[in-house]
Amino acid sequence: MEADRPPRDPSAPNRPRKGTKQQAVLTLLRREEGATIAQVMEATGWAQHTVRGCLAGLKKKGHTAEVLERVRQVGPGAQGTKGSYSVSRIGGGQG
């Protein structure tokens, strides 16, 4: 900790620094239309499993995500779910 920085108030909520990837994720998820994992991947450059881990971490920090829409795209012969996605949005909690 730097000497010229005042001590942090432990009762103050944690807020991500501006310009970080976590802030970009929160901004996308706070939009009225929400965001898909693909949109978060594009905005951050992260892999799908990293985005899912970030969303799980946000949940642990008290953010609640609601699923606005689930789109299931089934291939020929009703096999596979490639192309399926969900649209989520942060609501309640600290978000």
Side-chain angles (χ1 to χ4, degrees):
M1 189 158 137
E2 295 179 17
D4 54 336
R5 182 188 300 175
R8 185 185 172 292
D9 178 5
S11 65
N14 288 329
R15 298 188 187 265
R17 295 179 310 236
K18 292 184 179 186
T20 64
K21 289 183 179 182
Q22 183 180 24
Q23 182 64 42
V25 171
L26 288 171
T27 299
L28 285 171
L29 291 173
R30 285 183 177 134
R31 299 182 308 177
E32 187 176 328
E33 68 271 20
T36 64
I37 287 180
Q39 290 170 328
V40 175
M41 289 171 58
E42 184 177 329
T44 59
W46 289 341
Q48 186 178 48
H49 66 275
T50 306
V51 174
R52 290 184 188 278
C54 177
L55 296 177
L58 290 174
K59 183 178 179 182
K60 286 178 88 172
K61 292 179 181 180
H63 296 280
T64 56
E66 61 179 306
V67 176
L68 301 176
E69 177 183 15
R70 292 183 195 272
V71 177
R72 184 163 187 245
Q73 299 177 358
V74 180
Q79 295 180 11
T81 57
K82 187 171 184 157
S84 298
Y85 62 93
S86 296
V87 178
S88 301
R89 178 176 62 199
I90 291 285
Q94 294 177 358

